[in-house]
Amino acid sequence: MAIFDFSEPDPQQPDPAQPDPDQTGNQPAGGGSRFPLKTALAFAVLVAALALGHYSVDRGKGLDPGIFAEAFRLRWPRPPAPPIPKPAAKQRDGKLSQISPVFTDDANSLDPFFAALWKLEQGRVEPGKDGVITILHYGDSPTTADLITGDVRAQLQSRFGDAGRGYTLIAKPWAWYGHRGVEITDHGWKARTGVGLMREGVYGLGGAVFEGQPGAWSKFRLTRSDQTSVVIEYLAKPGGGAFAVEADDRRMVERTTAAETQAVGWVRVELPAGTKIVSIRPTSGSVTLFGADFRRGTSGLLYDSLGLNGATTTVLARVMQPVVWKQELDRASPSLIVINYGSNESSFGAFVHKQYAAELRLAITRVRVAAPGVPILVMSPMDRGARSGLNEIETMSTIPEIVAIQRQAAAETHCAFFDTYAAMGGEGTMARWYTASPRLVTADFLHPTPQGASIVAGLFIEQMELGYNRWKMRHGIGLPPANPANPIQASASKAVTPSRPAQKQTGKKARKQ
């Protein structure tokens, strides 16, 4: 297939369907070929003028290759996206219908989670137990930077109580790793993560491990709210060294990691009121640390952002060593586990077509073995854009396919499912978000800006509220009047449709502005 598609012939060129006016077979005068040199030079001058004109208008963007696409009308084929199955909205056996078109839980798998929320909301804490609800959110790069999850945490904690900043990695495997409310600086650690591996390994709750000797250190500057304690997760093993935990340069505890057999260990450190900086330092030998879990009081909600850059579903399906991971999940005692992958898988079409469904089911099975009885919510990836030609942005065809696979797998394995892709607007969303003002997605058409992340978090919270209200109605619990001042209260009777924030352009494609 020709790459350059000229819809109309150049009137100065001979029509290939007509006989050559020079029937002698001789070369044109001068001994050259019949190549239209003058026409080609004129065309080149035109393209160069367009390029220089564009550059002079917008030097900040530099030379936009889109002008060449306009000149040559560059195209290549794109396979159509598979249809997304629509869930039925009928009532069955007297039960309430689905929560919304973008949030399904036909098996009512979230009932234990909603029941725990209700107890927390009513202040009904069992004697001798912390009144803390923990949500573990496993995901990829947006989660790594605590985008979306940071907003979800803030909104849920404003409703159900702030139980702390939650779990953070001991150090930053990447410069952009972050956790809202905790500023991390570190030095001297050797970091390993489970990304890209196809074999089991010993990792912390967040899928990363850090090895260090005296001279290594990590400092956590606490912002926004005081934390009353921190739990340090480490690997106990034969020959392990020791580490110290300090609060504002005051040593609070020193713990050895030496043990007869390998196992996960924890030490809880109470923090003096007003502590601003928590430091961790190896004091002897070599230590293997995983994470620091910051707590605030004994009641409220924790939302742990457990993201790894470049992560895929394989991290949960094949990498986390089952015995160690179960120990970690037993200590975390989650009330809900969110599985939020798919963006990175979308780059590998053959894998999506042939293996992704089985990989996701394996991940769900492994989670259930490690955390029996804990509800699982499969959260789809956001839209992901890619350039079509040189100056148009279209949804990658693998994204709706991944979403459809996730929806079906969640239904068949009795998990809840949130369709982030449809909720934020479906096909073409990243094109619209990139041309919005302010922009809601970065130039890679994958990672949301803080404004875009806030929109996704709001959509997720809205749907969780609808599910929570549905659970209340099923159990005969009256709903409180809607409070417009509460950012996470939504009317249970409101029709829910995919959200499309106001944009400059709509539709499947959008041109770069």
Side-chain angles (χ1 to χ4, degrees):
M1 182 181 72
I3 295 180
F4 298 103
D5 176 20
F6 295 90
S7 58
E8 297 181 3
D10 189 331
Q12 300 184 24
Q13 300 300 310
D15 187 342
Q18 301 298 324
D20 190 334
D22 184 356
Q23 300 293 331
T24 65
N26 297 328
Q27 294 290 333
S33 69
R34 293 190 59 83
F35 182 82
L37 181 60
K38 291 183 179 180
T39 302
L41 287 174
F43 189 76
V45 170
L46 174 62
V47 172
L50 287 171
L52 291 173
H54 175 83
Y55 184 72
S56 64
V57 171
D58 190 354
R59 292 178 181 271
K61 293 181 180 177
L63 184 61
D64 186 355
I67 62 171
F68 298 103
E70 288 298 312
F72 295 115
R73 296 166 74 175
L74 182 61
R75 303 186 185 121
W76 52 77
R78 172 180 177 269
I84 301 175
K86 296 181 178 180
K90 300 178 181 179
Q91 285 188 239
R92 294 192 290 269
D93 302 327
K95 297 180 180 179
L96 292 174
S97 61
Q98 65 180 28
I99 297 171
S100 82
V102 299
F103 191 24
T104 57
D105 184 20
D106 294 339
N108 297 323
S109 65
L110 296 181
D111 280 9
F113 170 66
F114 291 140
L117 283 182
W118 175 244
K119 286 184 179 180
L120 182 60
E121 193 172 21
Q122 298 300 302
R124 292 159 51 188
V125 180
E126 297 181 31
K129 292 187 177 180
D130 285 352
V132 175
I133 290 178
T134 299
I135 301 172
L136 304 182
H137 188 128
Y138 283 97
D140 44 32
S141 48
T143 314
T144 301
D146 207 15
L147 291 172
I148 302 173
T149 49
D151 289 304
V152 171
R153 181 186 307 111
Q155 294 189 46
L156 287 178
Q157 288 183 339
S158 72
R159 168 76 175 275
F160 298 102
D162 182 354
R165 299 295 88 193
Y167 191 94
T168 70
L169 299 180
I170 284 293
K172 300 171 72 169
W174 312 277
W176 51 89
Y177 175 80
H179 192 91
R180 197 169 302 177
V182 182
E183 298 176 359
I184 306 172
T185 54
D186 59 79
H187 171 76
W189 298 97
K190 180 180 179 181
R192 290 185 291 108
T193 74
V195 175
L197 302 179
M198 297 296 289
R199 61 183 183 277
E200 293 177 359
V202 175
Y203 296 95
L205 184 69
V209 59
F210 303 85
E211 298 176 351
Q213 298 177 346
W217 52 265
S218 289
K219 290 186 178 181
F220 303 87
R221 182 181 295 275
L222 306 177
T223 63
R224 303 194 178 201
S225 62
D226 289 348
Q227 305 297 295
T228 58
S229 66
V230 61
V231 178
I232 309 301
E233 181 194 25
Y234 63 89
L235 182 66
K237 60 182 180 180
F243 66 92
V245 181
E246 302 170 352
D248 290 333
D249 296 325
R250 173 186 170 190
R251 180 162 295 190
M252 304 302 298
V253 70
E254 184 170 3
R255 173 59 60 97
T256 179
T257 65
E260 293 184 0
T261 59
Q262 179 174 281
V264 181
W266 300 272
V267 56
R268 183 185 184 107
V269 182
E270 300 299 325
L271 300 176
T275 296
K276 297 302 180 185
I277 298 179
V278 173
S279 303
I280 301 173
R281 306 175 186 274
T283 55
S284 67
S286 176
V287 298
T288 302
L289 307 185
F290 299 130
D293 189 2
F294 290 95
R295 301 298 185 101
R296 184 172 184 264
T298 58
S299 181
L301 186 138
L302 287 174
Y303 200 100
D304 289 338
S305 174
L306 306 176
L308 296 174
N309 194 54
T312 66
T313 312
T314 299
V315 170
L316 301 189
R318 301 180 185 275
V319 172
M320 306 293 274
Q321 205 281 336
V323 174
V324 170
W325 194 28
K326 179 168 177 52
Q327 293 172 358
E328 294 165 336
L329 289 173
D330 286 346
R331 186 203 68 84
S333 189
S335 297
L336 175 66
I337 295 176
V338 179
I339 300 177
N340 181 201
Y341 299 104
S343 294
N344 293 309
E345 287 92 331
S346 65
S347 297
F348 304 96
F351 172 80
V352 172
H353 304 329
K354 299 177 182 179
Q355 296 175 250
Y356 181 68
E359 197 76 357
L360 177 58
R361 285 177 170 82
L362 178 59
I364 292 170
T365 299
R366 293 280 293 262
V367 171
R368 286 218 164 106
V369 171
V374 177
I376 297 172
L377 187 152
V378 177
M379 182 175 180
S380 88
M382 297 177 291
D383 184 30
R384 182 177 182 182
R387 289 203 178 275
S388 174
L390 290 179
N391 208 36
E392 293 177 340
I393 305 165
E394 294 189 58
T395 292
M396 292 179 65
S397 62
T398 47
I399 287 292
E401 182 177 358
I402 287 170
V403 173
I405 291 171
Q406 290 178 339
R407 182 187 290 274
Q408 182 175 356
E412 293 175 354
T413 57
H414 307 298
C415 298
F417 175 69
F418 173 59
D419 190 343
T420 317
Y421 168 73
M424 65 191 292
E427 186 170 9
T429 295
M430 286 311 187
R432 296 186 292 272
W433 279 28
Y434 188 65
T435 58
S437 181
R439 281 182 175 162
L440 303 176
V441 65
T442 62
D444 62 4
F445 317 126
L446 169 62
H447 296 92
T449 64
Q451 295 91 338
S454 180
I455 290 174
V456 175
L459 294 168
F460 181 62
I461 290 292
E462 180 184 60
Q463 297 302 310
M464 290 290 282
E465 180 76 13
L466 289 173
Y468 187 36
N469 287 343
R470 175 178 176 268
W471 175 85
K472 288 181 178 179
M473 289 189 289
R474 287 175 45 235
H475 290 79
I477 299 172
L479 299 180
N483 179 7
N486 188 329
I488 67 171
Q489 269 201 344
S491 171
S493 61
K494 181 175 65 174
V496 180
T497 55
S499 173
R500 289 177 179 262
Q503 309 292 327
K504 290 182 179 178
Q505 303 205 21
T506 58
K508 173 177 169 182
K509 301 179 182 179
R511 293 196 178 278
K512 180 178 175 184
Q513 298 297 309

mmCIF file of all heavy atoms in Angstrom, residues 70-107:
data_model
loop_
_atom_site.group_PDB
_atom_site.id
_atom_site.type_symbol
_atom_site.label_atom_id
_atom_site.label_comp_id
_atom_site.label_asym_id
_atom_site.label_seq_id
_atom_site.Cartn_x
_atom_site.Cartn_y
_atom_site.Cartn_z
ATOM 1 N N GLU A 70 -0.006 17.280 6.885
ATOM 2 C CA GLU A 70 -0.985 18.028 6.120
ATOM 3 C C GLU A 70 -0.601 18.071 4.644
ATOM 4 O O GLU A 70 -1.443 17.986 3.754
ATOM 5 C CB GLU A 70 -1.092 19.458 6.678
ATOM 6 C CG GLU A 70 -1.794 19.528 8.025
ATOM 7 C CD GLU A 70 -3.227 19.048 7.911
ATOM 8 O OE1 GLU A 70 -3.946 19.477 6.993
ATOM 9 O OE2 GLU A 70 -3.628 18.218 8.737
ATOM 10 N N ALA A 71 0.699 18.241 4.378
ATOM 11 C CA ALA A 71 1.137 18.343 2.992
ATOM 12 C C ALA A 71 0.990 17.029 2.247
ATOM 13 O O ALA A 71 0.545 16.985 1.109
ATOM 14 C CB ALA A 71 2.590 18.817 2.938
ATOM 15 N N PHE A 72 1.378 15.924 2.916
ATOM 16 C CA PHE A 72 1.385 14.620 2.247
ATOM 17 C C PHE A 72 0.152 13.777 2.559
ATOM 18 O O PHE A 72 -0.037 12.728 1.976
ATOM 19 C CB PHE A 72 2.633 13.835 2.662
ATOM 20 C CG PHE A 72 3.906 14.477 2.208
ATOM 21 C CD1 PHE A 72 4.811 14.956 3.139
ATOM 22 C CD2 PHE A 72 4.203 14.601 0.871
ATOM 23 C CE1 PHE A 72 5.999 15.540 2.729
ATOM 24 C CE2 PHE A 72 5.383 15.182 0.454
ATOM 25 C CZ PHE A 72 6.282 15.669 1.383
ATOM 26 N N ARG A 73 -0.624 14.200 3.542
ATOM 27 C CA ARG A 73 -1.805 13.446 3.986
ATOM 28 C C ARG A 73 -1.408 12.017 4.318
ATOM 29 O O ARG A 73 -1.890 11.046 3.758
ATOM 30 C CB ARG A 73 -2.891 13.503 2.907
ATOM 31 C CG ARG A 73 -3.369 14.939 2.696
ATOM 32 C CD ARG A 73 -4.165 15.104 1.444
ATOM 33 N NE ARG A 73 -5.496 14.541 1.555
ATOM 34 C CZ ARG A 73 -6.411 14.659 0.611
ATOM 35 N NH1 ARG A 73 -6.129 15.301 -0.503
ATOM 36 N NH2 ARG A 73 -7.598 14.128 0.764
ATOM 37 N N LEU A 74 -0.498 11.942 5.299
ATOM 38 C CA LEU A 74 0.070 10.656 5.701
ATOM 39 C C LEU A 74 -0.973 9.836 6.460
ATOM 40 O O LEU A 74 -1.632 10.329 7.365
ATOM 41 C CB LEU A 74 1.277 10.920 6.606
ATOM 42 C CG LEU A 74 2.056 9.725 7.121
ATOM 43 C CD1 LEU A 74 2.634 8.950 5.945
ATOM 44 C CD2 LEU A 74 3.159 10.206 8.043
ATOM 45 N N ARG A 75 -1.127 8.547 6.106
ATOM 46 C CA ARG A 75 -2.122 7.689 6.742
ATOM 47 C C ARG A 75 -1.568 6.289 6.926
ATOM 48 O O ARG A 75 -0.711 5.856 6.187
ATOM 49 C CB ARG A 75 -3.386 7.567 5.871
ATOM 50 C CG ARG A 75 -4.056 8.878 5.535
ATOM 51 C CD ARG A 75 -5.352 8.597 4.809
ATOM 52 N NE ARG A 75 -5.967 9.829 4.368
ATOM 53 C CZ ARG A 75 -6.234 10.119 3.116
ATOM 54 N NH1 ARG A 75 -5.924 9.253 2.174
ATOM 55 N NH2 ARG A 75 -6.804 11.244 2.791
ATOM 56 N N TRP A 76 -2.108 5.587 7.927
ATOM 57 C CA TRP A 76 -1.902 4.144 7.991
ATOM 58 C C TRP A 76 -3.117 3.524 8.659
ATOM 59 O O TRP A 76 -3.846 4.158 9.396
ATOM 60 C CB TRP A 76 -0.615 3.771 8.730
ATOM 61 C CG TRP A 76 -0.448 4.366 10.071
ATOM 62 C CD1 TRP A 76 -1.045 4.003 11.224
ATOM 63 C CD2 TRP A 76 0.416 5.465 10.407
ATOM 64 N NE1 TRP A 76 -0.616 4.782 12.255
ATOM 65 C CE2 TRP A 76 0.272 5.677 11.793
ATOM 66 C CE3 TRP A 76 1.297 6.262 9.684
ATOM 67 C CZ2 TRP A 76 0.975 6.676 12.454
ATOM 68 C CZ3 TRP A 76 1.986 7.245 10.340
ATOM 69 C CH2 TRP A 76 1.820 7.445 11.701
ATOM 70 N N PRO A 77 -3.380 2.247 8.395
ATOM 71 C CA PRO A 77 -4.616 1.633 8.882
ATOM 72 C C PRO A 77 -4.586 1.399 10.382
ATOM 73 O O PRO A 77 -3.547 1.182 10.969
ATOM 74 C CB PRO A 77 -4.670 0.293 8.124
ATOM 75 C CG PRO A 77 -3.237 -0.007 7.832
ATOM 76 C CD PRO A 77 -2.581 1.317 7.587
ATOM 77 N N ARG A 78 -5.743 1.447 10.996
ATOM 78 C CA ARG A 78 -5.894 1.171 12.422
ATOM 79 C C ARG A 78 -7.043 0.198 12.597
ATOM 80 O O ARG A 78 -8.148 0.454 12.120
ATOM 81 C CB ARG A 78 -6.203 2.467 13.170
ATOM 82 C CG ARG A 78 -6.569 2.284 14.628
ATOM 83 C CD ARG A 78 -6.862 3.653 15.253
ATOM 84 N NE ARG A 78 -7.277 3.529 16.635
ATOM 85 C CZ ARG A 78 -8.546 3.398 17.023
ATOM 86 N NH1 ARG A 78 -9.509 3.356 16.120
ATOM 87 N NH2 ARG A 78 -8.839 3.297 18.293
ATOM 88 N N PRO A 79 -6.810 -0.939 13.245
ATOM 89 C CA PRO A 79 -7.892 -1.910 13.406
ATOM 90 C C PRO A 79 -8.992 -1.343 14.296
ATOM 91 O O PRO A 79 -8.731 -0.586 15.220
ATOM 92 C CB PRO A 79 -7.198 -3.102 14.087
ATOM 93 C CG PRO A 79 -5.996 -2.506 14.735
ATOM 94 C CD PRO A 79 -5.575 -1.376 13.861
ATOM 95 N N PRO A 80 -10.245 -1.681 14.002
ATOM 96 C CA PRO A 80 -11.337 -1.154 14.821
ATOM 97 C C PRO A 80 -11.275 -1.701 16.235
ATOM 98 O O PRO A 80 -10.851 -2.831 16.469
ATOM 99 C CB PRO A 80 -12.593 -1.663 14.085
ATOM 100 C CG PRO A 80 -12.125 -2.879 13.336
ATOM 101 C CD PRO A 80 -10.706 -2.588 12.947
ATOM 102 N N ALA A 81 -11.702 -0.880 17.200
ATOM 103 C CA ALA A 81 -11.731 -1.316 18.596
ATOM 104 C C ALA A 81 -12.891 -2.281 18.800
ATOM 105 O O ALA A 81 -13.970 -2.104 18.227
ATOM 106 C CB ALA A 81 -11.883 -0.112 19.513
ATOM 107 N N PRO A 82 -12.696 -3.337 19.609
ATOM 108 C CA PRO A 82 -13.783 -4.272 19.852
ATOM 109 C C PRO A 82 -14.871 -3.612 20.685
ATOM 110 O O PRO A 82 -14.601 -2.699 21.470
ATOM 111 C CB PRO A 82 -13.099 -5.397 20.650
ATOM 112 C CG PRO A 82 -11.931 -4.738 21.286
ATOM 113 C CD PRO A 82 -11.476 -3.684 20.331
ATOM 114 N N PRO A 83 -16.130 -4.042 20.521
ATOM 115 C CA PRO A 83 -17.213 -3.430 21.295
ATOM 116 C C PRO A 83 -17.088 -3.771 22.769
ATOM 117 O O PRO A 83 -16.601 -4.828 23.144
ATOM 118 C CB PRO A 83 -18.474 -4.070 20.680
ATOM 119 C CG PRO A 83 -17.990 -5.377 20.122
ATOM 120 C CD PRO A 83 -16.594 -5.118 19.641
ATOM 121 N N ILE A 84 -17.537 -2.852 23.610
ATOM 122 C CA ILE A 84 -17.549 -3.077 25.053
ATOM 123 C C ILE A 84 -18.902 -3.657 25.425
ATOM 124 O O ILE A 84 -19.942 -3.049 25.142
ATOM 125 C CB ILE A 84 -17.318 -1.769 25.815
ATOM 126 C CG1 ILE A 84 -15.982 -1.166 25.411
ATOM 127 C CG2 ILE A 84 -17.383 -1.980 27.319
ATOM 128 C CD1 ILE A 84 -15.725 0.180 26.028
ATOM 129 N N PRO A 85 -18.949 -4.835 26.043
ATOM 130 C CA PRO A 85 -20.242 -5.423 26.396
ATOM 131 C C PRO A 85 -20.975 -4.565 27.410
ATOM 132 O O PRO A 85 -20.382 -4.033 28.338
ATOM 133 C CB PRO A 85 -19.858 -6.791 26.996
ATOM 134 C CG PRO A 85 -18.448 -6.625 27.438
ATOM 135 C CD PRO A 85 -17.824 -5.659 26.491
ATOM 136 N N LYS A 86 -22.275 -4.399 27.196
ATOM 137 C CA LYS A 86 -23.086 -3.605 28.114
ATOM 138 C C LYS A 86 -23.748 -4.527 29.139
ATOM 139 O O LYS A 86 -24.432 -5.480 28.767
ATOM 140 C CB LYS A 86 -24.148 -2.828 27.349
ATOM 141 C CG LYS A 86 -23.562 -1.793 26.396
ATOM 142 C CD LYS A 86 -24.660 -1.026 25.689
ATOM 143 C CE LYS A 86 -24.066 0.033 24.765
ATOM 144 N NZ LYS A 86 -25.125 0.799 24.065
ATOM 145 N N PRO A 87 -23.569 -4.252 30.428
ATOM 146 C CA PRO A 87 -24.181 -5.106 31.437
ATOM 147 C C PRO A 87 -25.683 -4.917 31.466
ATOM 148 O O PRO A 87 -26.197 -3.830 31.190
ATOM 149 C CB PRO A 87 -23.538 -4.618 32.747
ATOM 150 C CG PRO A 87 -23.175 -3.197 32.465
ATOM 151 C CD PRO A 87 -22.803 -3.142 31.015
ATOM 152 N N ALA A 88 -26.365 -5.984 31.798
ATOM 153 C CA ALA A 88 -27.822 -5.899 31.910
ATOM 154 C C ALA A 88 -28.195 -5.085 33.126
ATOM 155 O O ALA A 88 -27.519 -5.086 34.143
ATOM 156 C CB ALA A 88 -28.411 -7.313 32.008
ATOM 157 N N ALA A 89 -29.317 -4.368 33.020
ATOM 158 C CA ALA A 89 -29.754 -3.512 34.124
ATOM 159 C C ALA A 89 -31.080 -3.990 34.700
ATOM 160 O O ALA A 89 -31.811 -3.234 35.313
ATOM 161 C CB ALA A 89 -29.886 -2.071 33.644
ATOM 162 N N LYS A 90 -31.420 -5.277 34.482
ATOM 163 C CA LYS A 90 -32.694 -5.801 34.955
ATOM 164 C C LYS A 90 -32.606 -6.208 36.425
ATOM 165 O O LYS A 90 -31.544 -6.532 36.933
ATOM 166 C CB LYS A 90 -33.093 -7.012 34.120
ATOM 167 C CG LYS A 90 -33.261 -6.710 32.638
ATOM 168 C CD LYS A 90 -33.603 -7.977 31.880
ATOM 169 C CE LYS A 90 -33.755 -7.688 30.391
ATOM 170 N NZ LYS A 90 -34.054 -8.911 29.633
ATOM 171 N N GLN A 91 -33.758 -6.198 37.102
ATOM 172 C CA GLN A 91 -33.814 -6.714 38.451
ATOM 173 C C GLN A 91 -33.932 -8.220 38.382
ATOM 174 O O GLN A 91 -34.659 -8.774 37.563
ATOM 175 C CB GLN A 91 -35.009 -6.122 39.198
ATOM 176 C CG GLN A 91 -34.782 -4.681 39.627
ATOM 177 C CD GLN A 91 -35.894 -4.195 40.510
ATOM 178 O OE1 GLN A 91 -36.546 -3.240 40.192
ATOM 179 N NE2 GLN A 91 -36.123 -4.837 41.610
ATOM 180 N N ARG A 92 -33.210 -8.906 39.266
ATOM 181 C CA ARG A 92 -33.233 -10.360 39.288
ATOM 182 C C ARG A 92 -33.562 -10.832 40.692
ATOM 183 O O ARG A 92 -32.892 -10.444 41.657
ATOM 184 C CB ARG A 92 -31.882 -10.926 38.843
ATOM 185 C CG ARG A 92 -31.543 -10.636 37.409
ATOM 186 C CD ARG A 92 -30.346 -11.470 36.971
ATOM 187 N NE ARG A 92 -29.118 -11.008 37.621
ATOM 188 C CZ ARG A 92 -28.315 -10.100 37.093
ATOM 189 N NH1 ARG A 92 -28.598 -9.571 35.923
ATOM 190 N NH2 ARG A 92 -27.217 -9.722 37.725
ATOM 191 N N ASP A 93 -34.586 -11.669 40.800
ATOM 192 C CA ASP A 93 -34.965 -12.276 42.074
ATOM 193 C C ASP A 93 -35.214 -11.217 43.153
ATOM 194 O O ASP A 93 -34.857 -11.388 44.322
ATOM 195 C CB ASP A 93 -33.873 -13.245 42.552
ATOM 196 C CG ASP A 93 -33.611 -14.341 41.536
ATOM 197 O OD1 ASP A 93 -34.577 -14.741 40.854
ATOM 198 O OD2 ASP A 93 -32.462 -14.777 41.429
ATOM 199 N N GLY A 94 -35.836 -10.117 42.750
ATOM 200 C CA GLY A 94 -36.154 -9.095 43.729
ATOM 201 C C GLY A 94 -34.982 -8.254 44.175
ATOM 202 O O GLY A 94 -35.137 -7.374 45.010
ATOM 203 N N LYS A 95 -33.802 -8.495 43.651
ATOM 204 C CA LYS A 95 -32.627 -7.734 44.049
ATOM 205 C C LYS A 95 -32.559 -6.426 43.269
ATOM 206 O O LYS A 95 -33.115 -6.305 42.183
ATOM 207 C CB LYS A 95 -31.350 -8.537 43.814
ATOM 208 C CG LYS A 95 -31.257 -9.806 44.641
ATOM 209 C CD LYS A 95 -29.954 -10.541 44.341
ATOM 210 C CE LYS A 95 -29.841 -11.821 45.149
ATOM 211 N NZ LYS A 95 -28.577 -12.554 44.838
ATOM 212 N N LEU A 96 -31.871 -5.467 43.831
ATOM 213 C CA LEU A 96 -31.672 -4.214 43.128
ATOM 214 C C LEU A 96 -30.827 -4.451 41.881
ATOM 215 O O LEU A 96 -30.014 -5.359 41.825
ATOM 216 C CB LEU A 96 -30.979 -3.196 44.033
ATOM 217 C CG LEU A 96 -31.809 -2.685 45.220
ATOM 218 C CD1 LEU A 96 -30.935 -1.807 46.091
ATOM 219 C CD2 LEU A 96 -33.030 -1.927 44.746
ATOM 220 N N SER A 97 -31.038 -3.636 40.874
ATOM 221 C CA SER A 97 -30.273 -3.763 39.643
ATOM 222 C C SER A 97 -28.836 -3.331 39.884
ATOM 223 O O SER A 97 -28.452 -2.943 40.988
ATOM 224 C CB SER A 97 -30.917 -2.899 38.549
ATOM 225 O OG SER A 97 -30.904 -1.535 38.946
ATOM 226 N N GLN A 98 -28.041 -3.382 38.823
ATOM 227 C CA GLN A 98 -26.638 -3.012 38.921
ATOM 228 C C GLN A 98 -26.491 -1.612 39.506
ATOM 229 O O GLN A 98 -27.406 -0.806 39.462
ATOM 230 C CB GLN A 98 -26.007 -3.065 37.544
ATOM 231 C CG GLN A 98 -26.589 -2.024 36.583
ATOM 232 C CD GLN A 98 -25.942 -2.090 35.226
ATOM 233 O OE1 GLN A 98 -25.483 -3.138 34.820
ATOM 234 N NE2 GLN A 98 -25.926 -0.996 34.516
ATOM 235 N N ILE A 99 -25.297 -1.324 40.024
ATOM 236 C CA ILE A 99 -25.063 -0.035 40.666
ATOM 237 C C ILE A 99 -25.156 1.081 39.647
ATOM 238 O O ILE A 99 -25.839 2.090 39.863
ATOM 239 C CB ILE A 99 -23.688 -0.043 41.359
ATOM 240 C CG1 ILE A 99 -23.685 -1.110 42.476
ATOM 241 C CG2 ILE A 99 -23.361 1.331 41.936
ATOM 242 C CD1 ILE A 99 -22.317 -1.363 43.076
ATOM 243 N N SER A 100 -24.477 0.950 38.527
ATOM 244 C CA SER A 100 -24.528 1.939 37.453
ATOM 245 C C SER A 100 -23.922 1.300 36.212
ATOM 246 O O SER A 100 -23.347 0.208 36.290
ATOM 247 C CB SER A 100 -23.742 3.202 37.849
ATOM 248 O OG SER A 100 -22.355 3.018 37.614
ATOM 249 N N PRO A 101 -24.014 1.956 35.060
ATOM 250 C CA PRO A 101 -23.398 1.376 33.855
ATOM 251 C C PRO A 101 -21.890 1.215 33.961
ATOM 252 O O PRO A 101 -21.310 0.427 33.211
ATOM 253 C CB PRO A 101 -23.772 2.390 32.758
ATOM 254 C CG PRO A 101 -24.993 3.064 33.262
ATOM 255 C CD PRO A 101 -24.833 3.145 34.741
ATOM 256 N N VAL A 102 -21.246 1.940 34.865
ATOM 257 C CA VAL A 102 -19.788 1.871 34.946
ATOM 258 C C VAL A 102 -19.288 1.209 36.227
ATOM 259 O O VAL A 102 -18.081 1.072 36.426
ATOM 260 C CB VAL A 102 -19.157 3.286 34.810
ATOM 261 C CG1 VAL A 102 -19.503 3.885 33.468
ATOM 262 C CG2 VAL A 102 -19.589 4.202 35.950
ATOM 263 N N PHE A 103 -20.196 0.794 37.099
ATOM 264 C CA PHE A 103 -19.786 0.162 38.358
ATOM 265 C C PHE A 103 -20.714 -1.010 38.622
ATOM 266 O O PHE A 103 -21.903 -0.833 38.881
ATOM 267 C CB PHE A 103 -19.870 1.177 39.500
ATOM 268 C CG PHE A 103 -19.227 0.709 40.788
ATOM 269 C CD1 PHE A 103 -18.237 -0.246 40.808
ATOM 270 C CD2 PHE A 103 -19.616 1.267 42.003
ATOM 271 C CE1 PHE A 103 -17.634 -0.653 41.989
ATOM 272 C CE2 PHE A 103 -19.026 0.880 43.197
ATOM 273 C CZ PHE A 103 -18.038 -0.078 43.189
ATOM 274 N N THR A 104 -20.174 -2.222 38.542
ATOM 275 C CA THR A 104 -20.991 -3.418 38.686
ATOM 276 C C THR A 104 -20.478 -4.285 39.829
ATOM 277 O O THR A 104 -19.274 -4.357 40.082
ATOM 278 C CB THR A 104 -20.990 -4.245 37.384
ATOM 279 O OG1 THR A 104 -19.640 -4.573 37.039
ATOM 280 C CG2 THR A 104 -21.603 -3.450 36.242
ATOM 281 N N ASP A 105 -21.416 -4.933 40.482
ATOM 282 C CA ASP A 105 -21.103 -5.894 41.544
ATOM 283 C C ASP A 105 -22.289 -6.835 41.675
ATOM 284 O O ASP A 105 -22.998 -6.846 42.683
ATOM 285 C CB ASP A 105 -20.820 -5.170 42.864
ATOM 286 C CG ASP A 105 -20.384 -6.119 43.971
ATOM 287 O OD1 ASP A 105 -19.937 -7.239 43.645
ATOM 288 O OD2 ASP A 105 -20.507 -5.760 45.155
ATOM 289 N N ASP A 106 -22.504 -7.629 40.628
ATOM 290 C CA ASP A 106 -23.670 -8.503 40.581
ATOM 291 C C ASP A 106 -23.687 -9.518 41.708
ATOM 292 O O ASP A 106 -24.747 -9.973 42.139
ATOM 293 C CB ASP A 106 -23.729 -9.218 39.230
ATOM 294 C CG ASP A 106 -23.979 -8.254 38.076
ATOM 295 O OD1 ASP A 106 -24.495 -7.152 38.338
ATOM 296 O OD2 ASP A 106 -23.644 -8.603 36.924
ATOM 297 N N ALA A 107 -22.511 -9.923 42.193
ATOM 298 C CA ALA A 107 -22.438 -10.918 43.274
ATOM 299 C C ALA A 107 -22.506 -10.279 44.656
ATOM 300 O O ALA A 107 -22.404 -10.985 45.663
ATOM 301 C CB ALA A 107 -21.154 -11.726 43.140
#
